Amino acid sequence: MAQDKLLFLFHPTVASGFEELYRYLHVDTLPEGKKFSLDMLHTLPKDATILGTEFTLPITKEVIDYFPNLRLISNYAVGFNNIDVAYAESKGITVTNTPQAVVQPTAELAVALLLGLTRRIAIWDSTMRRQRSSAKGSLADGLGTDIYLKKVGIIGYGNIGRAVGRILRAMGAEVVYYKRTPLAPEEEAKEGVSFATKEEIFRTCDIISLHTPYNQDSHHLINKESLAMMKPTTILVNTARGKVVNEADLVAALQNKTIAGAALDVFEYDDNPLDALYDMPNVVMTPHVGTQTGEARVAMAREFTNNVLGVILGDRPFAKVALK
């Protein structure tokens, strides 16, 4: 245990939650202001046994091989597409992530984005600030839409999808879901949801919220064909991963009024929206900030710490990533 060395490849945004690591490990971080890239790999100490990473950092075969004593890669994120997990597993290296701490803040942001669009909050706020007046005009101007009694389809019914479903059911929405393995009937009854195929969700839902992991099966799940199935009143919410959506097809569907609107926290091209999205009044966007609350970051730090010490000490459960 004393020989284990943790190398943070990112600068944590909070200090609280990591304290226990320093009792058991030698901890190094990159110089202040430096962001990890493959170009700097040769400058890093090779004796690290644990890498602390986050979802924007490419942990490739080259990175893994650079550290001959590596035994753990701990991601400060729920996603792990940045890591070559299969190669790490082939070398006996454990990979962990932080799936629990991100649930509530990401679910709350998904609903906030949805409400920002349905109640035109971003537009009203921008207009009032620009005009320095109430800016409402007639009672018919800028009508929004209710969540109440709408049919919501959740694709990817894991922890975050379930949390979104709970919030929207409390607002009076009907919730259907898709996941590879449907819930047992008693679970569905308890949660007040029902299973639907992806095609049924595309064709029948007023709101579609994406919470699926990004993988080969979910790449461009939302594309020209699936968008064409949707109703012209459908709103799409994406707080999952940008590449789940073919962004060019989405832009075309919004321009052509194939669907009514989109609420987006993630984008296909390194989280940089296509330029056309900036000018669309039927789009609400945030810059990948699903976990950007103080409480979430501290909770993620604690989960990260428990993962590292769970592997090293064997005294607590940890969230191991496993390829299916």
Side-chain angles (χ1 to χ4, degrees):
M1 183 177 64
Q3 70 273 17
D4 277 298
K5 295 185 177 182
L6 166 63
L7 174 61
F8 274 114
L9 295 180
F10 65 98
H11 288 279
T13 53
V14 296
S16 182
F18 291 110
E19 299 92 342
E20 194 178 3
L21 290 173
Y22 295 88
R23 291 171 47 196
Y24 296 100
L25 303 169
H26 176 84
V27 180
D28 285 322
T29 59
L30 299 185
E32 188 67 36
K34 291 285 187 180
K35 181 177 174 63
F36 173 74
S37 68
L38 294 177
D39 293 339
M40 67 160 50
L41 184 61
H42 70 280
T43 69
L44 300 178
K46 295 177 70 72
D47 59 349
T49 58
I50 305 162
L51 291 183
T53 65
E54 53 95 21
F55 71 94
T56 66
L57 305 181
I59 309 303
T60 62
K61 179 179 183 293
E62 180 185 2
V63 174
I64 293 169
D65 284 342
Y66 180 81
F67 300 97
N69 301 316
L70 194 62
R71 58 183 295 199
L72 171 63
I73 302 168
S74 190
N75 226 27
Y76 184 71
V78 62
F80 46 86
N81 302 107
N82 60 305
I83 301 170
D84 190 335
V85 177
Y87 186 67
E89 286 184 346
S90 75
K91 298 194 71 173
I93 298 167
T94 301
V95 180
T96 62
N97 64 342
T98 58
Q100 298 303 319
V102 304
V103 172
Q104 193 62 26
T106 306
E108 289 181 8
L109 180 69
V111 176
L113 282 166
L114 175 60
L115 287 168
L117 186 60
T118 60
R119 296 310 309 269
R120 300 172 60 85
I121 293 169
I123 291 174
W124 285 126
D125 179 80
S126 176
T127 302
M128 290 182 69
R129 291 174 188 273
R130 186 175 63 252
Q131 296 186 5
R132 292 290 198 271
S133 72
S134 65
K136 190 170 70 170
S138 74
L139 293 176
D141 284 346
L143 292 178
T145 186
D146 294 340
I147 304 298
Y148 182 64
L149 297 182
K150 293 299 188 294
K151 186 174 183 179
V152 177
I154 296 176
I155 297 180
Y157 201 64
N159 291 329
I160 297 173
R162 285 186 174 195
V164 170
R166 285 194 297 270
I167 296 169
L168 294 180
R169 287 198 313 277
M171 297 176 70
E174 174 193 355
V175 175
V176 299
Y177 73 95
Y178 171 81
K179 67 191 301 278
R180 287 182 178 179
T181 305
L183 303 178
E186 56 271 22
E187 287 183 274
E188 290 188 347
K190 181 179 179 180
E191 297 196 17
V193 299
S194 57
F195 176 84
T197 66
K198 287 179 283 190
E199 290 73 18
E200 288 170 337
I201 287 174
F202 295 150
R203 294 184 187 280
T204 67
C205 286
D206 303 295
I207 297 161
I208 298 172
S209 193
L210 304 176
H211 303 283
T212 181
Y214 176 67
N215 51 44
Q216 192 172 20
D217 292 335
S218 64
H219 178 74
H220 284 183
L221 172 68
I222 304 301
N223 54 36
K224 183 177 180 180
E225 290 73 25
S226 56
L227 287 160
M229 297 181 199
M230 298 178 193
K231 301 189 294 186
T233 54
T234 296
I235 291 170
L236 179 72
V237 182
N238 188 13
T239 56
R241 284 291 180 264
K243 289 182 172 63
V244 173
V245 176
N246 183 317
E247 203 162 298
D249 288 353
L250 175 62
V251 166
L254 292 165
Q255 290 172 331
N256 299 333
K257 300 184 179 179
T258 303
I259 66 171
L264 308 169
D265 182 52
V266 290
F267 305 91
E268 184 172 2
Y269 303 102
D270 296 323
D271 281 337
N272 292 304
L274 290 180
D275 191 66
L277 291 171
Y278 289 106
D279 298 318
M280 291 183 171
N282 55 344
V283 173
V284 172
M285 299 184 289
T286 49
H288 204 156
V289 293
T291 63
Q292 201 156 325
T293 70
E295 295 89 344
R297 294 302 169 87
V298 171
M300 289 172 68
R302 290 175 179 150
E303 192 168 7
F304 177 98
T305 296
N306 284 330
N307 285 338
V308 171
L309 297 182
V311 172
I312 300 305
L313 303 178
D315 64 346
R316 65 197 78 183
F318 55 90
K320 181 179 178 180
V321 169
L323 294 179
K324 295 180 180 179

mmCIF file of all heavy atoms in Angstrom, residues 86-115:
data_model
loop_
_atom_site.group_PDB
_atom_site.id
_atom_site.type_symbol
_atom_site.label_atom_id
_atom_site.label_comp_id
_atom_site.label_asym_id
_atom_site.label_seq_id
_atom_site.Cartn_x
_atom_site.Cartn_y
_atom_site.Cartn_z
ATOM 1 N N ALA A 86 -11.119 -2.194 -22.531
ATOM 2 C CA ALA A 86 -10.802 -3.572 -22.926
ATOM 3 C C ALA A 86 -9.304 -3.844 -22.792
ATOM 4 O O ALA A 86 -8.895 -4.900 -22.289
ATOM 5 C CB ALA A 86 -11.260 -3.827 -24.363
ATOM 6 N N TYR A 87 -8.486 -2.881 -23.199
ATOM 7 C CA TYR A 87 -7.038 -3.087 -23.095
ATOM 8 C C TYR A 87 -6.604 -3.081 -21.631
ATOM 9 O O TYR A 87 -5.756 -3.900 -21.225
ATOM 10 C CB TYR A 87 -6.287 -2.013 -23.876
ATOM 11 C CG TYR A 87 -4.796 -2.255 -23.915
ATOM 12 C CD1 TYR A 87 -4.282 -3.349 -24.597
ATOM 13 C CD2 TYR A 87 -3.916 -1.412 -23.258
ATOM 14 C CE1 TYR A 87 -2.909 -3.604 -24.631
ATOM 15 C CE2 TYR A 87 -2.544 -1.645 -23.279
ATOM 16 C CZ TYR A 87 -2.046 -2.741 -23.958
ATOM 17 O OH TYR A 87 -0.701 -2.990 -23.978
ATOM 18 N N ALA A 88 -7.180 -2.172 -20.854
ATOM 19 C CA ALA A 88 -6.857 -2.142 -19.426
ATOM 20 C C ALA A 88 -7.198 -3.480 -18.774
ATOM 21 O O ALA A 88 -6.393 -4.042 -18.016
ATOM 22 C CB ALA A 88 -7.606 -0.999 -18.738
ATOM 23 N N GLU A 89 -8.378 -3.997 -19.070
ATOM 24 C CA GLU A 89 -8.788 -5.289 -18.492
ATOM 25 C C GLU A 89 -7.839 -6.399 -18.923
ATOM 26 O O GLU A 89 -7.526 -7.295 -18.129
ATOM 27 C CB GLU A 89 -10.220 -5.615 -18.927
ATOM 28 C CG GLU A 89 -11.287 -4.778 -18.230
ATOM 29 C CD GLU A 89 -12.689 -5.201 -18.624
ATOM 30 O OE1 GLU A 89 -12.840 -5.943 -19.622
ATOM 31 O OE2 GLU A 89 -13.642 -4.775 -17.939
ATOM 32 N N SER A 90 -7.377 -6.349 -20.169
ATOM 33 C CA SER A 90 -6.473 -7.407 -20.649
ATOM 34 C C SER A 90 -5.152 -7.413 -19.897
ATOM 35 O O SER A 90 -4.455 -8.434 -19.862
ATOM 36 C CB SER A 90 -6.215 -7.230 -22.150
ATOM 37 O OG SER A 90 -5.320 -6.152 -22.403
ATOM 38 N N LYS A 91 -4.819 -6.280 -19.290
ATOM 39 C CA LYS A 91 -3.580 -6.172 -18.512
ATOM 40 C C LYS A 91 -3.823 -6.294 -17.007
ATOM 41 O O LYS A 91 -2.918 -6.045 -16.212
ATOM 42 C CB LYS A 91 -2.888 -4.841 -18.822
ATOM 43 C CG LYS A 91 -2.459 -4.689 -20.272
ATOM 44 C CD LYS A 91 -1.496 -3.543 -20.467
ATOM 45 C CE LYS A 91 -0.148 -3.857 -19.861
ATOM 46 N NZ LYS A 91 0.883 -2.830 -20.183
ATOM 47 N N GLY A 92 -5.045 -6.641 -16.636
ATOM 48 C CA GLY A 92 -5.355 -6.804 -15.224
ATOM 49 C C GLY A 92 -5.515 -5.497 -14.474
ATOM 50 O O GLY A 92 -5.425 -5.465 -13.244
ATOM 51 N N ILE A 93 -5.763 -4.413 -15.185
ATOM 52 C CA ILE A 93 -5.924 -3.095 -14.577
ATOM 53 C C ILE A 93 -7.410 -2.833 -14.340
ATOM 54 O O ILE A 93 -8.230 -2.965 -15.251
ATOM 55 C CB ILE A 93 -5.332 -1.993 -15.482
ATOM 56 C CG1 ILE A 93 -3.830 -2.221 -15.669
ATOM 57 C CG2 ILE A 93 -5.609 -0.606 -14.916
ATOM 58 C CD1 ILE A 93 -3.215 -1.388 -16.785
ATOM 59 N N THR A 94 -7.767 -2.464 -13.123
ATOM 60 C CA THR A 94 -9.148 -2.144 -12.776
ATOM 61 C C THR A 94 -9.483 -0.737 -13.250
ATOM 62 O O THR A 94 -8.667 0.172 -13.167
ATOM 63 C CB THR A 94 -9.349 -2.237 -11.255
ATOM 64 O OG1 THR A 94 -9.032 -3.569 -10.826
ATOM 65 C CG2 THR A 94 -10.790 -1.917 -10.857
ATOM 66 N N VAL A 95 -10.699 -0.557 -13.752
ATOM 67 C CA VAL A 95 -11.197 0.762 -14.144
ATOM 68 C C VAL A 95 -12.452 1.049 -13.332
ATOM 69 O O VAL A 95 -13.345 0.199 -13.228
ATOM 70 C CB VAL A 95 -11.518 0.819 -15.651
ATOM 71 C CG1 VAL A 95 -12.032 2.214 -16.039
ATOM 72 C CG2 VAL A 95 -10.294 0.458 -16.485
ATOM 73 N N THR A 96 -12.509 2.246 -12.729
ATOM 74 C CA THR A 96 -13.682 2.624 -11.940
ATOM 75 C C THR A 96 -14.233 3.957 -12.435
ATOM 76 O O THR A 96 -13.536 4.729 -13.106
ATOM 77 C CB THR A 96 -13.347 2.748 -10.442
ATOM 78 O OG1 THR A 96 -12.371 3.775 -10.255
ATOM 79 C CG2 THR A 96 -12.819 1.433 -9.887
ATOM 80 N N ASN A 97 -15.492 4.226 -12.078
ATOM 81 C CA ASN A 97 -16.120 5.506 -12.412
ATOM 82 C C ASN A 97 -16.989 5.954 -11.244
ATOM 83 O O ASN A 97 -17.012 5.304 -10.179
ATOM 84 C CB ASN A 97 -16.932 5.395 -13.704
ATOM 85 C CG ASN A 97 -18.108 4.430 -13.597
ATOM 86 O OD1 ASN A 97 -18.154 3.587 -12.705
ATOM 87 N ND2 ASN A 97 -19.050 4.538 -14.512
ATOM 88 N N THR A 98 -17.692 7.070 -11.404
ATOM 89 C CA THR A 98 -18.491 7.631 -10.302
ATOM 90 C C THR A 98 -19.954 7.728 -10.716
ATOM 91 O O THR A 98 -20.472 8.830 -10.974
ATOM 92 C CB THR A 98 -17.963 9.015 -9.893
ATOM 93 O OG1 THR A 98 -18.003 9.894 -11.034
ATOM 94 C CG2 THR A 98 -16.535 8.931 -9.387
ATOM 95 N N PRO A 99 -20.672 6.612 -10.785
ATOM 96 C CA PRO A 99 -22.035 6.632 -11.328
ATOM 97 C C PRO A 99 -23.103 7.176 -10.392
ATOM 98 O O PRO A 99 -24.163 7.616 -10.854
ATOM 99 C CB PRO A 99 -22.306 5.153 -11.636
ATOM 100 C CG PRO A 99 -21.457 4.415 -10.650
ATOM 101 C CD PRO A 99 -20.215 5.249 -10.485
ATOM 102 N N GLN A 100 -22.881 7.163 -9.076
ATOM 103 C CA GLN A 100 -23.949 7.548 -8.155
ATOM 104 C C GLN A 100 -24.039 9.057 -7.944
ATOM 105 O O GLN A 100 -25.131 9.630 -7.931
ATOM 106 C CB GLN A 100 -23.756 6.843 -6.811
ATOM 107 C CG GLN A 100 -23.835 5.325 -6.894
ATOM 108 C CD GLN A 100 -25.135 4.833 -7.490
ATOM 109 O OE1 GLN A 100 -26.206 5.356 -7.187
ATOM 110 N NE2 GLN A 100 -25.060 3.815 -8.333
ATOM 111 N N ALA A 101 -22.900 9.704 -7.801
ATOM 112 C CA ALA A 101 -22.907 11.131 -7.453
ATOM 113 C C ALA A 101 -23.491 12.000 -8.550
ATOM 114 O O ALA A 101 -23.964 13.107 -8.285
ATOM 115 C CB ALA A 101 -21.475 11.581 -7.143
ATOM 116 N N VAL A 102 -23.466 11.516 -9.786
ATOM 117 C CA VAL A 102 -23.920 12.340 -10.909
ATOM 118 C C VAL A 102 -25.423 12.267 -11.144
ATOM 119 O O VAL A 102 -25.962 13.036 -11.948
ATOM 120 C CB VAL A 102 -23.195 11.927 -12.205
ATOM 121 C CG1 VAL A 102 -21.693 11.995 -12.027
ATOM 122 C CG2 VAL A 102 -23.605 10.530 -12.659
ATOM 123 N N VAL A 103 -26.110 11.359 -10.467
ATOM 124 C CA VAL A 103 -27.497 11.056 -10.824
ATOM 125 C C VAL A 103 -28.422 12.263 -10.660
ATOM 126 O O VAL A 103 -29.044 12.731 -11.621
ATOM 127 C CB VAL A 103 -28.027 9.859 -9.997
ATOM 128 C CG1 VAL A 103 -29.527 9.676 -10.217
ATOM 129 C CG2 VAL A 103 -27.278 8.589 -10.364
ATOM 130 N N GLN A 104 -28.545 12.768 -9.439
ATOM 131 C CA GLN A 104 -29.526 13.822 -9.194
ATOM 132 C C GLN A 104 -29.206 15.131 -9.912
ATOM 133 O O GLN A 104 -30.100 15.724 -10.527
ATOM 134 C CB GLN A 104 -29.678 14.062 -7.686
ATOM 135 C CG GLN A 104 -30.889 14.914 -7.318
ATOM 136 C CD GLN A 104 -32.217 14.278 -7.721
ATOM 137 O OE1 GLN A 104 -32.328 13.062 -7.828
ATOM 138 N NE2 GLN A 104 -33.235 15.103 -7.944
ATOM 139 N N PRO A 105 -27.955 15.602 -9.885
ATOM 140 C CA PRO A 105 -27.696 16.863 -10.586
ATOM 141 C C PRO A 105 -27.943 16.774 -12.083
ATOM 142 O O PRO A 105 -28.452 17.725 -12.695
ATOM 143 C CB PRO A 105 -26.228 17.169 -10.266
ATOM 144 C CG PRO A 105 -25.652 15.892 -9.802
ATOM 145 C CD PRO A 105 -26.756 15.132 -9.159
ATOM 146 N N THR A 106 -27.590 15.652 -12.702
ATOM 147 C CA THR A 106 -27.817 15.520 -14.143
ATOM 148 C C THR A 106 -29.305 15.424 -14.455
ATOM 149 O O THR A 106 -29.788 16.017 -15.428
ATOM 150 C CB THR A 106 -27.076 14.291 -14.692
ATOM 151 O OG1 THR A 106 -25.698 14.375 -14.328
ATOM 152 C CG2 THR A 106 -27.198 14.210 -16.201
ATOM 153 N N ALA A 107 -30.037 14.704 -13.612
ATOM 154 C CA ALA A 107 -31.486 14.620 -13.804
ATOM 155 C C ALA A 107 -32.135 15.989 -13.655
ATOM 156 O O ALA A 107 -33.016 16.369 -14.441
ATOM 157 C CB ALA A 107 -32.091 13.632 -12.801
ATOM 158 N N GLU A 108 -31.708 16.743 -12.662
ATOM 159 C CA GLU A 108 -32.274 18.077 -12.459
ATOM 160 C C GLU A 108 -31.961 18.984 -13.643
ATOM 161 O O GLU A 108 -32.811 19.786 -14.069
ATOM 162 C CB GLU A 108 -31.745 18.679 -11.159
ATOM 163 C CG GLU A 108 -32.299 18.010 -9.911
ATOM 164 C CD GLU A 108 -31.778 18.625 -8.624
ATOM 165 O OE1 GLU A 108 -31.092 19.677 -8.694
ATOM 166 O OE2 GLU A 108 -32.051 18.068 -7.550
ATOM 167 N N LEU A 109 -30.758 18.875 -14.202
ATOM 168 C CA LEU A 109 -30.425 19.705 -15.360
ATOM 169 C C LEU A 109 -31.275 19.311 -16.565
ATOM 170 O O LEU A 109 -31.738 20.188 -17.310
ATOM 171 C CB LEU A 109 -28.948 19.579 -15.718
ATOM 172 C CG LEU A 109 -28.550 20.430 -16.928
ATOM 173 C CD1 LEU A 109 -28.602 21.916 -16.583
ATOM 174 C CD2 LEU A 109 -27.185 20.053 -17.462
ATOM 175 N N ALA A 110 -31.486 18.015 -16.775
ATOM 176 C CA ALA A 110 -32.321 17.586 -17.898
ATOM 177 C C ALA A 110 -33.711 18.208 -17.811
ATOM 178 O O ALA A 110 -34.249 18.710 -18.809
ATOM 179 C CB ALA A 110 -32.418 16.059 -17.927
ATOM 180 N N VAL A 111 -34.282 18.196 -16.613
ATOM 181 C CA VAL A 111 -35.620 18.777 -16.435
ATOM 182 C C VAL A 111 -35.563 20.292 -16.561
ATOM 183 O O VAL A 111 -36.464 20.919 -17.138
ATOM 184 C CB VAL A 111 -36.208 18.337 -15.081
ATOM 185 C CG1 VAL A 111 -37.545 19.017 -14.834
ATOM 186 C CG2 VAL A 111 -36.372 16.815 -15.038
ATOM 187 N N ALA A 112 -34.495 20.910 -16.044
ATOM 188 C CA ALA A 112 -34.349 22.362 -16.168
ATOM 189 C C ALA A 112 -34.253 22.780 -17.633
ATOM 190 O O ALA A 112 -34.875 23.775 -18.057
ATOM 191 C CB ALA A 112 -33.119 22.835 -15.401
ATOM 192 N N LEU A 113 -33.475 22.047 -18.429
ATOM 193 C CA LEU A 113 -33.382 22.340 -19.853
ATOM 194 C C LEU A 113 -34.739 22.204 -20.535
ATOM 195 O O LEU A 113 -35.129 23.037 -21.364
ATOM 196 C CB LEU A 113 -32.375 21.393 -20.517
ATOM 197 C CG LEU A 113 -30.899 21.718 -20.321
ATOM 198 C CD1 LEU A 113 -30.033 20.525 -20.735
ATOM 199 C CD2 LEU A 113 -30.508 22.939 -21.135
ATOM 200 N N LEU A 114 -35.441 21.139 -20.182
ATOM 201 C CA LEU A 114 -36.767 20.916 -20.760
ATOM 202 C C LEU A 114 -37.699 22.071 -20.432
ATOM 203 O O LEU A 114 -38.388 22.613 -21.311
ATOM 204 C CB LEU A 114 -37.333 19.594 -20.245
ATOM 205 C CG LEU A 114 -38.764 19.251 -20.657
ATOM 206 C CD1 LEU A 114 -38.889 19.168 -22.172
ATOM 207 C CD2 LEU A 114 -39.204 17.947 -19.994
ATOM 208 N N LEU A 115 -37.739 22.480 -19.175
ATOM 209 C CA LEU A 115 -38.595 23.594 -18.778
ATOM 210 C C LEU A 115 -38.133 24.905 -19.410
ATOM 211 O O LEU A 115 -38.959 25.764 -19.765
ATOM 212 C CB LEU A 115 -38.615 23.717 -17.253
ATOM 213 C CG LEU A 115 -39.412 22.642 -16.518
ATOM 214 C CD1 LEU A 115 -39.126 22.698 -15.025
ATOM 215 C CD2 LEU A 115 -40.901 22.808 -16.777
#
